[in-house]
Amino acid sequence: MPFKRYVEIGRVALVNFGKDYGKLVVIVDIIDQNRALVDSPDMIRSQMNFKRLTLTDITIDIKRSPNKKTLIAAMEAADVMNKWENSSWGRKLSVQTRRASLNDFDRFKIMLAKIKKAGIVRQELAKLKKESTA
Amino acid sequence: MAPKQVRKGSRNPDLIRGLGKFSRSKMYHKRGLWAIKAKNGGAFPTHTKSTTTSAVSAEKVKFYPADDVKKPLANRRKERPTKLRASITPGTVLIILTGRFKGKRVVFLKQLSSGLLLVTGPFKINGVPLRRVNQAYVIATSTKVDIATVNVDKFDDKYFAKKVEKKKTKGEGEFFEADKEEKNVLPTEKKDDQKAVDASLIKAIESVPELKAYLGARFSLKSGMKPHELVF
């Protein structure tokens, strides 16, 4: 029940609304109760309402309002992108984007592959059942 | 001499709309009209006047029609085939949406002069023959087949025109027999055309894994598929 992810300087968040939807950003300063100053290696530092952000588990070690160079260095040191891509949340997101971008032909190939896999699984199961009853 | 430089835009930039930066005398100098005059010996070069309409306008026209005759507006419309969607290029796999072949995935060959798309199954794979299809009733997928080896030059709209039959006069006794006309048999020529086009196409299709099965299957919307979110 207690909160585990706090809004703090250095907290990595995912943007869930607006022009920068889907980006990972770092909270670099807090403006007031509702807004934070937010920055990322590929965007201009800007303010964002907390309602647009979803906090992640990742934090980096920075002081208030670092310059871009320091920020990027701190992100490298904390290995943010790798941690994100290996986290279950990050993996789920990449699967979602992959599925959304599938071609009609890709969907067909996947259907064939699923049927094949199910067939193999069923064969193995039948074998195991036979062994257990025999 | 320096090579001739093409000038872009006017020499007189706008201060505000309708007001140029330079006055008439400044522009005269900038355009080099003084140099053109000097080259031509103190006056502007003129064309030799051609004698054209002087004869007609000399005599006074005595008769004017009582009512104004309205001239129809000039029609500059050029007839051209429907604009082809950028996603449809020769070799694209299309999904037909209406008609007896709805849901079939089909290979696009070329656009005919009427604007319709020439399409083939290939026949052996999914039963769709060389056929014309309207662009509006088609979804273009991003899958492409290599169509370089196929020659589609001989197909045009006339190839698909309906055969005009001779009118049969219906006599009383012949009523029941005359209806037993021979069924429309496809002339062997068309069958050969189909085979010729499909031969090289099928080779190209078989070189891509699973493409043959893909073209043989029909497309359908399953539960959870949102057409506006699908990438084709």
Side-chain angles (χ1 to χ4, degrees):
Chain A
M1 206 45 233
F3 291 102
K4 293 215 185 79
R5 297 174 187 161
Y6 293 98
V7 168
E8 52 191 324
I9 293 176
R11 174 68 61 182
V12 173
L14 187 67
V15 179
N16 58 28
F17 180 87
K19 190 171 65 103
D20 300 310
Y21 181 88
K23 271 209 194 143
L24 274 183
V25 291
V26 179
I27 296 178
V28 136
D29 197 357
I30 301 191
I31 300 173
D32 61 13
Q33 193 194 336
N34 296 320
R35 292 172 298 158
L37 192 60
V38 128
D39 202 357
S40 168
D42 59 346
M43 73 185 258
I44 298 175
R45 186 172 291 194
S46 58
Q47 68 172 5
M48 252 192 212
N49 194 315
F50 287 119
K51 292 187 177 178
R52 285 194 178 197
L53 300 173
T54 327
L55 304 178
T56 68
D57 287 328
I58 310 173
T59 50
I60 65 178
D61 186 20
I62 50 170
K63 295 229 163 46
R64 186 179 71 87
S65 292
N67 44 17
K68 204 73 165 209
K69 209 167 55 161
T70 328
L71 177 70
I72 295 178
M75 286 184 88
E76 295 283 309
D79 207 11
V80 170
M81 292 323 287
N82 274 334
K83 272 202 206 148
W84 174 247
E85 265 143 45
N86 294 330
S87 71
S88 59
W89 185 357
R91 276 183 281 131
K92 268 189 270 177
L93 263 197
S94 66
V95 166
Q96 280 175 17
T97 50
R98 178 83 187 97
R99 287 206 179 135
S101 69
L102 283 178
N103 201 341
D104 188 44
F105 188 26
D106 292 334
R107 268 175 263 134
F108 181 79
K109 286 191 269 189
I110 285 177
M111 174 194 65
L112 292 184
K114 273 193 187 170
I115 292 173
K116 209 171 183 187
K117 176 177 129 190
I120 296 172
V121 166
R122 216 174 302 125
Q123 272 187 334
E124 287 301 316
L125 183 62
K127 258 191 251 170
L128 287 173
K129 274 196 187 159
K130 222 179 180 190
E131 282 171 22
S132 71
T133 54
Chain B
M1 280 276 281
K4 193 136 196 220
Q5 286 167 329
V6 184
R7 164 160 259 286
K8 274 198 202 153
S10 94
R11 291 174 220 268
N12 196 355
D14 276 349
L15 285 176
I16 50 172
R17 197 175 82 125
L19 237 193
K21 184 171 172 189
F22 298 111
S23 66
R24 290 184 76 98
S25 48
K26 278 276 196 277
M27 282 311 294
Y28 177 88
H29 177 76
K30 272 170 97 69
R31 287 169 65 197
L33 300 178
W34 51 274
I36 294 175
K37 263 191 168 177
K39 213 173 176 187
N40 205 40
F44 283 121
T46 53
H47 284 297
T48 48
K49 283 217 175 102
S50 51
T51 54
T52 45
T53 54
S54 53
V56 180
S57 54
E59 47 172 282
K60 278 194 181 159
V61 187
K62 286 189 189 152
F63 176 72
Y64 294 95
D67 302 314
D68 283 334
V69 180
K70 287 213 167 173
K71 258 196 344 186
L73 293 172
N75 182 6
R76 302 241 175 87
R77 184 172 174 272
K78 274 187 238 169
E79 195 176 304
R80 37 170 76 100
T82 329
K83 187 157 185 228
L84 198 59
R85 265 183 267 159
S87 52
I88 303 180
T89 62
T92 313
V93 173
L94 308 174
I95 301 176
I96 299 184
L97 297 172
T98 55
R100 66 182 288 214
F101 297 113
K102 55 175 146 320
K104 293 273 192 192
R105 294 168 172 127
V106 137
V107 179
F108 169 67
L109 297 175
K110 73 173 189 182
Q111 183 180 35
L112 304 170
S113 56
S114 65
L116 299 172
L117 311 180
L118 176 65
V119 127
T120 181
F123 187 69
K124 270 236 153 82
I125 297 182
N126 54 20
V128 180
L130 280 164
R131 201 168 202 270
R132 293 184 299 174
V133 132
N134 190 321
Q135 206 190 154
Y137 304 113
V138 137
I139 295 180
T141 66
S142 48
T143 318
K144 313 261 182 219
V145 177
D146 182 19
I147 215 180
T149 54
V150 180
N151 188 343
V152 266
D153 292 337
K154 68 179 284 198
F155 303 112
D156 59 348
D157 290 294
K158 269 187 262 164
Y159 180 87
F160 295 98
K162 281 211 171 81
K163 274 224 183 82
V164 183
E165 288 176 11
K166 273 194 299 178
K167 275 197 180 166
K168 285 198 173 176
T169 52
K170 286 188 188 159
E172 276 268 353
E174 299 170 343
F175 229 115
F176 300 102
E177 290 185 36
D179 282 359
K180 230 206 272 175
E181 289 173 19
E182 26 175 276
K183 266 185 157 184
N184 287 334
V185 182
L186 245 198
T188 48
E189 185 199 41
K190 292 213 171 176
K191 290 190 188 172
D192 291 335
D193 288 336
Q194 180 78 52
K195 283 197 200 134
V197 169
D198 287 354
S200 39
L201 243 191
I202 290 183
K203 249 188 267 162
I205 289 172
E206 285 177 346
S207 65
V208 181
E210 296 175 330
L211 186 58
K212 195 167 178 201
Y214 174 62
L215 290 176
R218 282 208 203 219
F219 171 81
S220 73
L221 276 182
K222 312 276 195 317
S223 185
M225 286 172 111
K226 298 173 195 159
H228 68 293
E229 285 180 358
L230 287 179
V231 168
F232 283 99

